[in-house]
Amino acid sequence: MSKAPRADRQSPHPADRHDLIRVHGARENNLKDVSIEIPKRRLTVFTGVSGSGKSSLVFDTIAAESQRLINETYSAFLQGFMPTLSRPEVDVLDGLTTAIIVDQQRMGADPRSTVGTATDANAMLRILFSRLGKPHIGPPSAYAFNVPSVRASGAITVERGAKKAVKATFNRTGGMCPRCEGRGSVSDIDLTQLYDDSKSLSEAALTIPGYTPGGWNYRLYTESGLVDPDKPIRKYTKRELHAFLHHEPTRMKIAGINMTYEGLIPRIQKSFLAKDKEGMQPHIRAFVERAVTFTTCPECDGTRLAEGARASKIKRISIADACAMQISDLAAWVRGLKEPSVAPLLTALQLTLDSFVEIGLGYLSLDRPAGTLSGGEAQRVKMIRHLGSSLTDVTYVFDEPTVGLHPHDIQRMNELLLQLRDKGNTVLVVEHKPETIAIADHVVDLGPGAGTAGGTVCFEGTVEGLRTAGTVTGRHFDDRASVKDTVREPGGTLEIRGANTHNLRDVDVDVPLGVLTVVTGVAGSGKSSLVHGSIPVSDDVVSIDQSPIRGSRRSNPATYTGLLDPIRKAFAKANDVKPALFSANSEGACPTCNGAGVIYTDLGMMAGVSSTCEDCEGKRFQASVLEYLLGGRDISEVLAMSVTEAEEFFASGEAATPVARRILTRLADVGLGYLSLGQPLTTLSGGERQRLKLATHMGEKGGVYILDEPTTGLHLADVEQLLGLLDRLVDSGKSVIVVEHHQAVMAHADWIIDLGPGAGHDGGTVVFEGTPADLVAARSTLTGEHLAAYVGA
């Protein structure tokens, strides 16, 4: 048998030579003409201080250009439905492959989006129950809480070749609960919050935001002719009250215009209740929270499923029971199913569920609403889809995948990153944790500082080379905090008794006051449930979590912190004009772009585009406003300053403004000295947003501060600054409670509360209370073992 001649090993095929991603002249955001070469099919970690340009290089340049080039391969028709992506500011990008971005953006908060629907797990379960469920109720859609049952009658013509068949009825069996429409909860509206029934409509009875006398929302009812606008609402007849509150949508002429009239209740439900509450403006959200109460659906008991779907079972387990199980338990249940007819399906489902456990999310359940996941959990759920993928030679881009992970879980995350690499993929990771930097094949360290002081590559090479490179990251790479010799004595205790939120098991614990307390434990052990669910929110408690700051691109650090008010007043006083002139959202706004700095062009069915306003050149203000100066600078120049520059600017001379400087000092204290005052909040990372909230709340008079993983997004060098800030808070008489995994924060604590021993139903108990030194000496928990290894004990 003859063999084909072997190619000369010394002369590789030309196609095998493309083993680098080449970036030349990258200038996106603060990047300063960066040129690097990134090896393909390797794990490359990008590190550097916060704001040094890591995300600008990885996400805004490499990943963005890959996405843009992929979109260009589609037809012009399809491109019309896609967002228009501009080319990044870079001279040459060569060797790109398809980029899959796995970021920390939280998933949609729609109540019908769950952990199961966000992955393939729910779909596979539906198929499984449609095959094996007893009694059999229908196809997979019969088990889907997103699919309603439909029954129609009439003539339906079905064409099959030359034959035509006429059907009289049409049925589709869906699994949606008809009462709550698959949401799991029903809403009840408090009518007293909608109107004052002692008044008539003519007397402005409606108290709903947006329903002002004279507006169309109001005229819809006063001029409909269905109700008497001059009669007090409490005196309406049953017919009038029904027409006012529950009338079905009807086309009619109102004030000479054809409009659709409907009752106030369905109108409120469509305009307010169908939207994500977290995305509403503050005054609208306050109204919804005041007027609407949500209770578990009494018909489906919160499972979201119709009666038939709940009744069909496999081994006495319904699909509702399966989705409510902890995923690690569900994986064990699926492993016990031995049915040859669905063997491939069981294998695929088993792999998916095992991936959840491997990635440290075995404590979740498939019916967990996606909107309740933290940024780190959401990123790891997105990873599940890619772990079993058959794709190779893909570029995977991760944004701090260790966020929210206990040191015990970081090792498993590292193994998954290496698993993706070993399948022949290029893995790019933006990361600060030394445990993950240590597994890199290639390291790119950006800096040397943040903002305008960053944007250059300080080091490129191996991990060992980084250790001796002399960069900020290199110098701090092997930093290890030591356990404090002496700890502060508490000035009292905060008693928590019988805490049973989520997986907590009637926890009794005393949280010391007047000291730095760290609540720790593996992911899913019950830390957040204990702190946020058991410590009542009051005027004395300042809780700072990682929920995203709500605001448009018009919002920036200056507006969010209240810094803009003293700045505007200082400009107004120096120039003897009105403060409103120095607001881009008020009288000083450029009339062409309305103070946005950009012009948005709606292209109909195509995605809209934005371009810098030609009149104000992106400065957002009228030209006449920019003629007014303070300390030789106009308002746009001040908003372009970094926090550090502005702190110096407002410290002395004509621009001296003590109130502004106090706010700026707090921003610098939390490590945000590199942010520009006018940077849109929509561009901030999760860690930056939390520290911005911390700086804002530091001016309040609360006695107890609760922080949720404040080290998120912090470089090794910045953690020491954060610890100094926490010390200053405690020394000023505050009690600081921190939910944290970072060993340096644990070592610096006065008191540690460790939850566990595992996650989900394996956690929920306090496994240790005491000082860090006692935890290290005992080594009785996972946290104790890792902390002892960290401090070298």
Side-chain angles (χ1 to χ4, degrees), residues 110-280:
D110 189 299
R112 293 199 189 97
S113 177
T114 66
V115 170
T117 60
T119 58
D120 292 331
N122 206 278
M124 288 188 279
L125 268 180
R126 294 200 302 269
I127 298 172
L128 181 67
F129 274 85
S130 71
R131 301 288 192 275
L132 304 181
K134 303 293 182 185
H136 176 75
I137 61 167
S141 63
Y143 297 89
F145 58 77
N146 288 331
V147 180
S149 293
V150 176
R151 292 175 179 81
S153 60
I156 301 175
T157 303
V158 181
E159 296 186 10
R160 294 192 179 95
K163 299 179 181 179
K164 291 187 177 181
V166 178
K167 294 185 178 181
T169 59
F170 170 78
N171 290 316
R172 181 184 69 191
T173 304
M176 178 185 288
C177 170
R179 173 75 185 272
C180 65
E181 297 184 341
R183 294 176 180 270
S185 63
V186 290
S187 57
D188 191 18
I189 298 177
D190 182 358
L191 297 181
T192 62
Q193 299 295 330
L194 304 186
Y195 55 79
D196 181 350
D197 66 355
S198 66
K199 296 180 180 179
S200 67
L201 291 175
S202 299
E203 296 171 323
L206 298 183
T207 56
I208 307 165
Y211 285 68
T212 53
W216 278 111
N217 281 332
Y218 218 94
R219 294 177 67 183
L220 190 69
Y221 298 98
T222 57
E223 301 184 28
S224 65
L226 297 178
V227 295
D228 184 350
D230 298 317
K231 182 194 293 186
I233 295 175
R234 65 172 54 163
K235 294 185 178 180
Y236 280 2
T237 63
K238 285 186 178 180
R239 184 188 295 270
E240 284 179 312
L241 197 60
H242 180 272
F244 176 50
L245 294 178
H246 304 289
H247 200 284
E248 63 278 2
T250 306
R251 294 289 291 178
M252 63 174 63
K253 187 164 285 190
I254 298 175
I257 299 173
N258 287 324
M259 298 181 67
T260 298
Y261 177 92
E262 64 181 331
L264 190 63
I265 298 296
R267 191 171 173 81
I268 291 291
Q269 289 173 330
K270 288 178 183 176
S271 58
F272 292 135
L273 302 190
K275 298 177 181 176
D276 172 19
K277 190 171 70 172
E278 292 301 314
M280 296 175 178

Side-chain angles (χ1 to χ4, degrees), residues 307-581:
E307 184 179 359
R310 302 196 306 273
S312 181
K313 298 183 178 182
I314 302 173
K315 291 188 175 181
R316 292 179 292 182
I317 296 293
S318 69
I319 191 170
D321 299 330
C323 289
M325 281 184 187
Q326 185 168 302
I327 289 175
S328 57
D329 293 341
L330 179 60
W333 179 75
V334 171
R335 196 174 285 111
L337 298 178
K338 307 296 182 185
E339 180 57 50
S341 64
V342 289
L345 175 64
L346 288 172
T347 301
L349 179 57
Q350 188 67 58
L351 284 172
T352 299
L353 297 175
D354 285 344
S355 294
F356 275 100
V357 178
E358 286 174 23
I359 213 165
L361 293 177
Y363 60 89
L364 295 179
S365 60
L366 294 183
D367 63 0
R368 169 88 172 260
T372 65
L373 299 178
S374 68
E377 287 172 333
Q379 182 173 209
R380 295 196 290 283
V381 165
K382 293 172 192 173
M383 276 189 76
I384 301 293
R385 304 187 74 108
H386 305 299
L387 293 176
S389 172
S390 300
L391 292 173
T392 59
D393 253 335
V394 170
T395 300
Y396 285 99
V397 185
F398 293 93
D399 183 12
E400 294 188 54
T402 60
V403 165
L405 283 184
H406 187 273
H408 173 68
D409 300 313
I410 290 178
Q411 180 60 39
R412 288 194 291 186
M413 172 60 73
N414 286 348
E415 290 169 1
L416 293 170
L417 294 173
L418 293 172
Q419 181 183 323
L420 282 174
R421 178 203 65 184
D422 293 345
K423 286 175 63 178
N425 298 306
T426 304
V427 181
L428 308 182
V429 182
V430 174
E431 188 55 82
H432 293 296
K433 291 283 178 66
E435 298 98 321
T436 299
I437 298 174
I439 66 167
D441 302 306
H442 189 71
V443 178
V444 178
D445 187 13
L446 283 93
T452 55
T456 62
V457 175
C458 301
F459 172 80
E460 198 180 349
T462 64
V463 177
E464 290 306 315
L466 176 66
R467 280 190 162 98
T468 58
T471 64
V472 175
T473 306
R475 290 196 303 272
H476 290 273
F477 190 78
D478 292 310
D479 278 4
R480 294 294 181 267
S482 56
V483 176
K484 290 196 293 192
D485 295 327
T486 58
V487 295
R488 302 178 182 92
E489 289 297 323
T493 57
L494 180 65
E495 293 185 358
I496 296 176
R497 296 289 180 267
N500 54 15
T501 306
H502 299 139
N503 66 327
L504 295 178
R505 303 181 189 176
D506 291 324
V507 170
D508 295 335
V509 65
D510 292 333
V511 181
L513 297 177
V515 299
L516 174 59
T517 302
V518 170
V519 179
T520 189
V522 296
S525 59
K527 303 180 298 297
S528 296
S529 299
L530 178 68
V531 173
H532 297 297
S534 304
I535 299 177
V537 177
S538 65
D539 293 339
D540 196 47
V541 176
V542 177
S543 182
I544 305 164
D545 58 20
Q546 292 192 37
S547 61
I549 294 172
R550 295 291 175 181
S552 67
R553 72 179 315 280
R554 288 177 175 271
S555 305
N556 53 50
T559 59
Y560 182 79
T561 59
L563 173 64
L564 191 59
D565 289 336
I567 290 177
R568 287 164 50 205
K569 290 175 182 175
F571 266 94
K573 184 178 180 181
N575 295 280
D576 197 24
V577 291
K578 292 191 296 184
L581 283 175

